[in-house]
């Protein structure tokens, strides 16, 4: 099986990136990490990439205020140059535009720290607690032109405890993020993800999420 060439787009600490790198190195994820791109020069994620000899590129957003399409065109150029086949957003703090989405249709994934469609957007762990949700979790989905609205690939569920803080819930969710992101990428790599309208069906008819049902 040919390994897909991956790009991971980041803005910050890069713990999801690290989980992807570790799973590739362990051999449980069969992909080639072609490049890590950050809009922030000082993102720790870039350092993580360099430590593993993965090309780490800062694409500065300076001068692109109000010109998000132009910035994304620059990203497309960088991604094409490296023959990237799958883009994984992992804490990339920019809204991406149709310029990028149309260049990679059904080839952009995102990880989001809630059970979508509940709590799209930012600070969603706090929102889940404040709302009184009893369960939250994380979602890997294809990226479409909406905000956290694309077809859902995998979700993992965690309980929200009475004494949870934003930090404690975020940490519980993050542990699951690190598992399901690689799992979703592996399913993509195996050619198993079929998008039918809003639904993502596993080509081999298996359920993708049983193993992530509830994670204390
Ligand atoms: C994660 O919680 C992810 O779900 C969200 O941004 C955070 C990134 O964390 N999209 P990290 O940079 O991967 O540690």
């Amino acid at each position: 099986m040919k390994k897909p060439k991956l790009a991971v787009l980041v803005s910050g600490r890069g713990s999801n990136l690290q989980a992807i790198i570790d799973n590739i190195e362990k051999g449980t994820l069969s992909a080639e990490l072609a490049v890590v791109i950050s809009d922030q020069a000082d993102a720790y994620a870039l350092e993580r990439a360099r430590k593993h000899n993965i090309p780490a590129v800062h694409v500065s957003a300076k001068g692109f205020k109000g010109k998000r399409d132009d910035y994304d065109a620059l990203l497309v150029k960088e991604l094409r140059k490296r023959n990237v086949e799958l883009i994984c957003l992992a804490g990339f703090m920019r809204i991406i535009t149709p310029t990028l989405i149309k260049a990679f249709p059904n080839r952009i994934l995102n990880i989001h720290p809630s059970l979508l469609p509940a709590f799209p957007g930012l600070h969603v762990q706090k929102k889940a607690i404040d709302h009184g949700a009893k369960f939250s979790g994380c979602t890997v989905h294809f990226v479409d032109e909406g905000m956290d609205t694309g077809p859902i690939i995998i979700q993992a569920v965690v309980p929200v405890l009475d004494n949870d803080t934003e930090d404690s819930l975020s940490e519980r969710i993050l542990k699951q993020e690190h598992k399901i992101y690689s799992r979703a990428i592996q399913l993509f790599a195996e050619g198993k993800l079929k998008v039918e309208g809003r639904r993502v069906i596993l080509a081999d008819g298996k359920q993708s999420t049983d193993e992530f049902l509830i994670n204390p």
Side-chain angles (χ1 to χ4, degrees):
M1 198 183 66
K2 200 179 143 279
K3 295 182 182 180
K5 281 188 197 286
L6 267 186
V8 180
L9 271 51
V10 295
S11 297
R13 73 186 160 183
S15 73
N16 276 288
L17 166 70
Q18 188 67 54
I20 292 168
I21 293 173
D22 293 346
N23 286 324
I24 290 175
E25 289 185 351
K26 267 192 282 176
T28 51
L29 173 55
S30 137
E32 182 193 328
L33 195 32
V35 65
V36 172
I37 298 178
S38 171
D39 60 329
Q40 303 294 324
D42 59 355
Y44 182 57
L46 287 176
E47 224 169 295
R48 293 186 194 262
R50 287 185 199 113
K51 279 189 192 151
H52 292 262
N53 296 318
I54 296 159
V57 179
H58 170 223
V59 179
S60 171
K62 247 198 202 128
F64 287 96
K65 204 157 184 249
K67 298 184 200 160
R68 284 193 282 127
D69 281 302
D70 293 351
Y71 180 83
D72 282 2
L74 206 63
L75 287 182
V76 170
K77 219 168 126 191
E78 188 65 40
L79 294 160
R80 291 245 192 269
K81 197 168 82 188
R82 295 169 190 274
N83 300 316
V84 165
E85 296 165 286
L86 178 68
I87 300 168
C88 297
L89 308 182
F92 186 58
M93 298 306 286
R94 293 181 62 85
I95 294 173
I96 64 171
T97 67
T99 300
L100 181 56
I101 296 167
K102 290 205 171 93
F104 291 90
N106 281 343
R107 285 173 177 270
I108 308 176
L109 308 186
N110 183 41
I111 178 108
H112 181 80
S114 79
L115 291 176
L116 290 171
F119 310 119
L122 294 174
H123 308 296
V124 296
Q125 299 94 335
K126 181 170 186 310
K127 283 181 191 158
I129 294 172
D130 291 350
H131 192 86
K134 297 298 183 197
F135 291 95
S136 189
C138 46
T139 303
V140 181
H141 62 94
F142 283 107
V143 173
D144 66 8
E145 291 177 17
M147 159 87 95
D148 302 323
T149 53
I152 292 169
I153 302 168
I154 298 187
Q155 297 184 303
V157 180
V158 306
V160 180
L161 305 179
D162 288 345
N163 58 359
D164 260 333
T165 60
E166 184 177 2
D167 283 351
S168 65
L169 179 60
S170 300
E171 200 184 309
R172 189 174 311 116
I173 292 173
L174 198 61
K175 268 196 206 151
Q176 302 306 318
E177 293 184 34
H178 296 164
K179 292 185 196 165
I180 67 171
Y181 213 172
S182 291
R183 184 85 184 94
I185 298 166
Q186 180 62 26
L187 289 169
F188 179 94
E190 291 171 8
K192 286 194 178 153
L193 301 178
K194 272 199 303 178
V195 183
E196 291 180 1
R198 278 216 46 84
R199 305 189 70 199
V200 180
I201 312 286
L202 280 197
D204 60 10
K206 289 199 183 115
Q207 282 289 325
S208 59
T209 43
D210 311 7
E211 62 203 283
F212 302 109
L213 225 38
I214 295 178
N215 302 281

